[in-house]
Amino acid sequence: MKNSCEIMKDKIADYVLRVLNEDEIANLEEHIEQCAECKEHLESLQKEREVLLQLGENIDSKMNAREESVIAALEKIS
């Protein structure tokens, strides 16, 4: 059987993804205020989310630049 922190860690991922309802958010935030381990887990997942979002933005901008260069090359051929 899962203990309280194990259950909360499952909820923390949902919290970071912003898929919890208001009651779940309130319960999780109350637990995090009292639990250093879960707070650390939350901060870790939030950092990972930020890194992944930045990576996605970088990939998107590089893909846009490549798309523009391909279009320019195709226009020269036409």
Side-chain angles (χ1 to χ4, degrees):
M1 182 171 173
K2 288 186 174 184
N3 68 30
S4 175
C5 286
E6 287 180 74
I7 293 168
M8 288 299 163
K9 285 183 179 177
D10 290 341
K11 294 282 185 187
I12 289 170
D14 293 336
Y15 179 83
V16 170
L17 294 172
R18 300 180 178 132
V19 295
L20 296 179
N21 66 43
E22 290 180 24
D23 290 337
E24 292 171 315
I25 291 170
N27 289 335
L28 179 65
E29 288 176 346
E30 182 180 326
H31 177 82
I32 288 171
E33 286 177 18
Q34 301 170 11
C35 181
E37 183 180 338
C38 287
K39 183 175 184 174
E40 183 179 318
H41 183 67
L42 170 63
E43 290 169 353
S44 174
L45 288 180
Q46 287 173 325
K47 287 177 187 175
E48 288 178 21
R49 181 180 184 273
E50 278 301 312
V51 168
L52 290 173
L53 287 173
Q54 289 174 355
L55 177 62
E57 290 172 6
N58 290 341
I59 290 171
D60 190 45
S61 67
K62 288 179 181 178
M63 291 301 291
N64 287 337
R66 286 183 180 162
E67 180 181 354
E68 290 172 13
S69 67
V70 168
I71 290 171
L74 290 172
E75 288 173 349
K76 287 181 183 179
I77 294 171
S78 305

